[in-house]
Amino acid sequence: MPYDLVVRNGTVVDGTGAPRFRADVGVVGDRIAALGRIRERGAHEMDAEGRFVTPGFVDGHTHMDAQVFWDPLGTCSCWHGVTTVVMGNCGFTLAPCRETEKDLAIRSLERAEDIARDAMLEGITWQWETYADYLDALARTPLGINYAGYIGHSALRTYVMGERAFEQTATDDDLTAMRREVESALRAGAIGFSTSRSPNHETADDRPVASRLASWSEVEALVDVMTGLGAGVFELAQEQPLDPDTRADYARRLRDLAVTSGRPITYVVGMSPAAPDAWRDALDLLDDIAARGGRVTGQVHSREFLSIIGFKVNLPFDRLPGWAEMRSRPLAEQRAALADPARRAALVAEAHAGRYGAAIGAEVRPPQYDAIRVLDAPEGPYRTVAEVAAERRADPVDVMIDLSLERDLALFFAQPFANQDLGAVRTMLEHPRTVVAISDSGAHVSQIIDASVPTHFLSHWVRAEQVFTWEQGVRKLTSDPARLWGFADRGVVAEGYAADLTVFDPGTIAPALPDAARDLPAGALRLTQRATGIDATVVNGRVLLVDGEPTGDLPGRLLRGRLA
């Protein structure tokens, strides 16, 4: 048999959780055609001696709906072994939306997902109105990795209701129109319907995103469309009630919807300082729903949620008047200002005495020096600013300035804002009804860089902590999420499956340090992060990356839901 690609001498960790085995992998077209000892030469050969050959990782929680149109590679996800992403989470999509009303969609993405308005306006050529049109535009776009998407509730509401979507509940006519569009989207290939009821999600003009104005009966009616069609996953950003009784009522509503609708439901499970025990309730709800016959999966992060701060992106002090004036200048002028003793002393004093205001969502928070970590090496443990200040017998603001100047203002710090208890994170990850997700790739790009969730999970929880075997860890990133999101022919290295492969060194796979670049349209800023230890990424049988560098091929495609 003539092979287009043969990956030789690797150790296959096939994604099912079964024991690893040594084998060659032969690819014909976009499919795995053979496993075992392959004698024939392939048109392209890859030596994987000493490496694991696994299914490509599936990233089930991204917001790459806009980025996909200006970034064909799918960075930063592709650098971390990801070959398939799910976008449109939390109700945030660019469709359905008429071009004349695109501000309604952009308004939500700009604030709630921290995607620069100028980047969207310059980087997107509007080619759609309905969600079906959006999918067709995506199918015409060069893609490095595979994409699938939900139809989002906020875009759906504004498409049908206009400005009323931010002020009113839906009328019967509104709901009929929304149900019609959800059905159209599913038949065109949407993999489900998503919404947000999270109080953290607001628009650029300080209003709740449109989906938060929806009654629960509206949500039920839209999920019911999927029930009628027998297709689609329901994803939601939760209400996050703090009061236990209110939380119990919310859990009951979600449980009843999962059971009566018959559709798979997925939501994020995480630890919030505002409700430190709510994650336990969220795990219990997974089991309760399953025990009653519902299908449900929790999405879990692999570490603390971190705001990345530094002179090249944002600092906690940026809103203070003196800092704001300095930070508006180029980095070279900022270095000069910090070299002036009087100017620096004034800035340090303002950092301690200034009024920061309330932090919203993932926005830069008031500094907590005993929590802010110094990211001076690819992997921790990291010292906190307070610890370094104690060592140097110096002011913590001075320490942040000195450390940054030592790295030519290129040093980054990290401030946790959720999931601070790693014991709780471990419990969430070990739960049998969770998958590793929540990279939020494509969103929060000046504040958070979590595309590295897969490589962090493997380097920390599998290799360093040995909480999971390699077989278990790979399964959490591949076949488990592929099954949840309906990618029936992906997530496993087996004959007949799609040839999405990640080839990596189990001894060195890890995230690299973050960086910052102005590589978005209109020169907008974003954080970036590469990985170490990944030799190659194969998408649909063709090599996308070798040692993190693009080959020039763009083999990705749109993955439509099963009704398309």
Side-chain angles (χ1 to χ4, degrees), residues 7-15 20 46-57 78-83 454-460 462-463 469-475 477-478 493 500-511 531-538 545-548:
V7 181
R8 295 193 182 277
N9 306 316
T11 297
V12 174
V13 183
D14 69 5
R20 71 196 79 168
M46 184 184 302
D47 185 11
E49 182 70 44
R51 303 297 191 254
F52 282 175
V53 181
T54 74
F57 306 148
C78 66
W79 291 329
H80 295 271
V82 171
T83 57
T455 49
H456 174 267
F457 174 70
L458 294 176
S459 66
H460 181 75
V462 177
R463 184 176 63 234
T469 66
W470 284 102
E471 290 84 353
Q472 292 168 333
V474 169
R475 176 175 173 169
L477 297 173
T478 58
V493 179
D500 292 347
L501 305 171
T502 299
V503 181
F504 65 87
D505 179 353
T508 61
I509 187 170
T532 59
I534 298 181
D535 291 56
T537 304
V538 178
L545 300 173
V546 175
D547 295 328

Side-chain angles (χ1 to χ4, degrees), residues 423-448:
V425 174
R426 173 175 174 167
T427 300
M428 293 181 237
L429 287 167
E430 290 181 309
H431 194 282
R433 303 189 195 283
T434 65
V435 296
V436 181
I438 331 175
S439 78
D440 266 355
S441 287
H444 313 299
V445 294
S446 69
Q447 306 168 27
I448 298 172

Side-chain angles (χ1 to χ4, degrees), residues 121-305:
L121 291 175
E122 182 174 306
I124 299 171
T125 301
W126 217 266
Q127 308 167 55
W128 57 82
E129 176 178 325
T130 66
Y131 195 81
D133 296 336
Y134 174 84
L135 291 179
D136 288 343
L138 187 60
R140 295 190 297 268
T141 301
L143 303 173
I145 57 179
N146 303 311
Y147 292 82
Y150 300 101
I151 178 172
H153 195 180
S154 284
L156 175 67
R157 265 190 138 243
T158 55
Y159 176 65
V160 170
M161 299 174 64
E163 289 288 349
R164 290 190 299 113
F166 298 100
E167 302 163 357
Q168 301 175 12
T169 57
T171 67
D172 289 344
D173 287 344
D174 293 333
L175 196 52
T176 297
M178 282 190 271
R179 284 173 55 89
R180 185 185 308 119
E181 176 61 17
V182 170
E183 178 172 351
S184 170
L186 291 165
R187 292 191 183 280
I191 63 164
F193 164 71
S194 72
T195 192
S196 171
R197 303 180 69 81
S198 168
N200 288 333
H201 288 153
E202 296 187 343
T203 66
D205 53 353
D206 299 323
R207 292 191 287 178
V209 296
S211 65
R212 287 177 54 195
L213 274 293
S215 65
W216 187 253
S217 62
E218 178 179 320
V219 173
E220 292 174 320
L222 296 174
V223 173
D224 180 66
V225 177
M226 295 192 290
T227 301
L229 295 173
V233 176
F234 175 47
E235 185 272 341
L236 78 161
Q238 301 178 77
E239 293 178 15
Q240 303 171 347
L242 301 182
D243 175 69
D245 292 337
T246 307
R247 195 156 68 228
D249 176 67
Y250 163 74
R252 177 192 58 76
R253 286 184 279 117
L254 186 58
R255 180 196 67 208
D256 291 348
L257 178 59
V259 173
T260 59
S261 72
R263 300 316 310 155
I265 287 179
T266 183
Y267 56 82
V268 169
V269 179
M271 181 183 180
S272 167
D277 294 324
W279 65 274
R280 297 184 186 277
D281 294 339
L283 289 183
D284 290 343
L285 182 58
L286 296 176
D287 292 331
D288 188 20
I289 289 172
R292 296 169 185 267
R295 289 181 286 169
V296 64
T297 303
Q299 301 175 37
V300 180
H301 204 289
S302 70
R303 60 176 178 236
E304 306 103 318
F305 289 89

